[in-house]
Amino acid sequence: MELTKRSSSEVLRKGYSDEEVSSIYELARLHLENGQLAKGEAILDGLVEVSPDFAPAWLAKSYLSLVGQDLDKSLFAARQALRIEPDFAEAMLFLVSCLMSVGDFNSAGTHLGEVGERVEAGMVTDPDVIRLYKAQLIRFQNKVRYPST
């Protein structure tokens, strides 16, 4: 069984249906979008406790840690999202951002290349994700060309 295809019974054992997990996640996102980061974070912390294989919650936790400049936590959360959904382009891009921030350009370039291949193949079509990819690509190219900046 793939990790991204958790059985409904797995979530129900913890007391939440897939629909409820998605609704809780949307509530957390609403708080994040409204700038209520602490409320959103509290909801996400609970969500990953009851549904640890819900990749979008880990991605949101990566975002919060990145905003809070806690790169270790952000790296961990992005890696968790990718462990659950290996083809999750947004999580790869968050991981790329974190890796570049800690100076691991080799790993960042590898993941960036994977996303680039998916963009070129038409597998990634969301304009926001493509824009994030292009921004990270420019950041990567600038860091490789001008390492002291």
Side-chain angles (χ1 to χ4, degrees), residues 13-42:
R13 280 195 307 258
K14 294 183 180 189
Y16 294 91
S17 69
D18 289 343
E19 185 177 311
E20 288 170 321
V21 168
S22 293
S23 294
I24 293 167
Y25 171 72
E26 289 303 322
L27 178 62
R29 277 192 56 175
L30 180 65
H31 285 299
L32 298 180
E33 290 169 2
N34 288 322
Q36 298 171 322
L37 302 183
K39 285 182 180 181
E41 184 173 23

Side-chain angles (χ1 to χ4, degrees), residues 34-136:
N34 288 322
Q36 298 171 322
L37 302 183
K39 285 182 180 181
E41 184 173 23
I43 293 168
L44 290 168
D45 287 344
L47 186 54
V48 297
E49 284 295 318
V50 299
S51 188
D53 288 336
F54 188 69
W58 285 108
L59 180 61
K61 286 180 64 67
S62 179
Y63 163 78
L64 281 169
S65 296
L66 197 57
V67 167
Q69 297 182 341
D70 189 335
L71 295 175
D72 289 335
K73 279 187 178 178
S74 188
L75 277 165
F76 175 78
R79 285 184 173 130
Q80 286 294 94
L82 280 174
R83 176 189 60 80
I84 298 161
E85 287 188 36
D87 294 328
F88 197 179
E90 294 93 326
M92 265 189 233
L93 291 170
F94 270 77
L95 182 60
V96 164
S97 181
C98 293
L99 289 168
M100 284 194 285
S101 294
V102 298
D104 186 350
F105 294 99
N106 288 333
S107 296
T110 298
H111 291 293
L112 200 54
E114 288 180 40
V115 176
E117 289 172 3
R118 291 180 183 149
V119 168
E120 289 175 18
M123 297 167 61
V124 175
T125 58
D126 183 329
D128 292 331
V129 176
I130 294 170
R131 195 170 16 259
L132 180 58
Y133 162 71
K134 288 179 179 178
Q136 293 307 312

